Amino acid sequence: MTIEDPFIHTQQGIYNFFKPTKIRRGRVKKQPNQSRKMKHGLVFLALIFLVTACTSFQSKKEIGANAHLTKKEKVVALLTSIETGDPTPIGYINPDKYIQHNLKVADGLEGFGAVMKQLPEGSAKATVVRAFQDGDYVVSHTEYNFFGPKIGFDVFRFENGKIVEHWDNLQEIVLETASGRSQIDGPTEVIHLDKANDNKVLVKGFVEDVLKGKNPGKITEYVSTEDFRQHNPAVGDGLGALGNALKEMADAGMPMTYTENHMILGEGNFVLSVSEGQFLGNHVAFYDLFRIEGGRIVEHWDTIEAIPPRAEWKNDNGKF
């Protein structure tokens, strides 16, 4: 069964109303002037109604085409379009307000477009592996080929259904890792939606007590001692491997220091922490993604990216 577009029928109706008709020869009775004016007035009103109805239908159809998409789906479509070249998802970005926190990219759609033009044709790849939503924020975890192979976290903020702000953190892909896991494999399904707030509180406590060093002895209250899977390429699985890695860096005079936490976002069993600090002597952004099971952190992914000097920024919004 074919569903026909009423806009097409309305257009056809307007055409039929005004198309030329054959006139029979003979005497034609003239209508009174008042009657002719009334008929012309009715035709004009009918035409206005038809055109208005067509325009309204088209507008509703365009809105309806995107109304069913969730914020998460819009983000996945936008990132995928980097590879496919589909221009439609660009419409999910507010053209009048797009605040950019990638310091290598200028503000607005113009800045985004300028970066895309710099890419060698056909080189861009984007595979979204995870995505979750926290209110007006959507977090994605993506494998990129964007000026080289990278793993990236992106955070998008929405207002009135449009993307108005963007943060990200990228790190080059490492093929050989301490745990044997890749930087992005592992579970992807968002479950236990009712535990989102509890899990965010857990991660906030872990960041403050352990990563920021306020009470590191409480680590077993946050991280599973039985099953802790690690995707940081330099650290092995298990709580012991994490402790050894942190100790080795501190002994070498290059401690990994978290100085401030800027965001905690989560949905169900996944929680992202966005922080800044020092790593190997550099001012960096830490994006840490945790999977929580049974009230403990059981899996960790991350990216660490150096923050460029202020003189090299392409926008004034800051990394965070």
Side-chain angles (χ1 to χ4, degrees):
M1 178 179 174
T2 302
I3 300 175
E4 297 179 335
D5 190 337
F7 178 69
I8 295 174
H9 287 294
T10 308
Q11 283 183 316
Q12 186 65 42
I14 293 173
Y15 170 74
N16 288 338
F17 187 87
F18 287 105
K19 72 178 181 180
T21 56
K22 292 182 180 180
I23 300 174
R24 296 177 61 185
R25 292 175 180 257
R27 296 177 66 185
V28 179
K29 183 178 180 181
K30 293 184 180 180
Q31 295 183 4
N33 197 37
Q34 184 177 1
S35 176
R36 267 203 310 267
K37 286 182 180 179
M38 184 177 292
K39 182 178 179 180
H40 290 165
L42 290 173
V43 170
F44 181 69
L45 289 173
L47 182 58
I48 290 175
F49 172 78
L50 289 170
V51 171
T52 303
C54 294
T55 304
S56 175
F57 177 79
Q58 286 294 87
S59 299
K60 287 178 181 178
K61 191 164 73 169
E62 289 171 5
I63 293 170
N66 294 325
H68 70 283
L69 292 179
T70 65
K71 296 181 181 74
K72 190 189 308 184
E73 289 169 334
K74 288 179 180 179
V75 164
V76 172
L78 177 64
L79 294 176
T80 303
S81 74
I82 293 173
E83 179 175 343
T84 64
D86 180 7
T88 304
I90 296 297
Y92 306 149
I93 299 175
N94 186 330
D96 302 315
K97 180 184 179 182
Y98 185 52
I99 303 166
Q100 180 63 259
H101 293 274
N102 182 319
L103 299 177
K104 298 176 182 178
V105 182
D107 255 345
L109 281 175
E110 296 82 3
F112 179 76
V115 171
M116 296 304 295
K117 287 179 182 177
Q118 294 173 21
L119 284 166
E121 187 175 354
S123 68
K125 305 291 180 186
T127 303
V128 180
V129 176
R130 291 174 189 82
F132 60 86
Q133 181 176 328
D134 187 345
D136 289 327
Y137 293 82
V138 172
V139 176
S140 62
H141 194 193
T142 304
E143 182 173 355
Y144 285 110
N145 191 329
F146 201 72
F147 302 105
K150 295 178 178 67
I151 300 297
F153 288 103
D154 293 90
V155 177
F156 296 89
R157 184 172 67 85
F158 283 75
E159 285 182 3
N160 301 318
K162 295 279 190 178
I163 297 168
V164 296
E165 196 161 9
H166 170 250
W167 299 258
D168 66 1
N169 216 49
L170 302 169
Q171 182 174 326
E172 292 185 0
I173 290 177
V174 176
L175 297 179
E176 295 185 11
T177 66
S179 67
R181 305 177 189 279
S182 81
Q183 290 159 277
I184 201 164
D185 63 356
T188 61
E189 184 182 3
V190 178
I191 56 176
H192 306 315
L193 299 181
D194 59 322
K195 299 292 184 183
N197 287 334
D198 291 342
N199 291 339
K200 287 162 69 174
V201 170
L202 179 79
V203 168
K204 181 67 174 177
F206 175 72
V207 172
E208 293 295 325
D209 286 335
V210 179
L211 297 181
K212 292 177 69 175
K214 291 182 179 179
N215 196 345
K218 294 176 67 176
I219 189 169
T220 56
E221 296 182 19
Y222 300 107
V223 181
S224 172
T225 57
E226 299 176 357
D227 181 20
F228 179 56
R229 305 173 190 180
Q230 181 64 258
H231 295 266
N232 181 303
V235 184
D237 281 346
L239 195 55
L242 175 62
N244 291 337
L246 294 174
K247 185 178 183 301
E248 288 174 6
M249 285 187 287
D251 291 345
M254 292 288 186
M256 183 170 66
T257 306
Y258 283 65
T259 57
E260 188 172 356
N261 178 254
H262 294 276
M263 257 192 289
I264 299 283
L265 299 169
E267 182 181 22
N269 54 328
F270 286 98
V271 177
L272 177 74
S273 165
V274 175
S275 307
E276 71 176 298
Q278 297 288 321
F279 181 65
L280 301 179
N282 295 311
H283 183 206
V284 301
F286 296 107
Y287 275 50
D288 294 279
L289 178 65
F290 302 95
R291 183 171 67 85
I292 294 91
E293 193 69 44
R296 292 291 185 272
I297 295 169
V298 297
E299 198 155 7
H300 170 249
W301 300 260
D302 67 348
T303 59
I304 304 172
E305 184 176 16
I307 299 173
R310 181 67 180 82
E312 297 179 11
W313 293 9
K314 295 291 180 67
N315 63 66
D316 297 321
N317 303 314
K319 181 70 174 175
F320 307 100

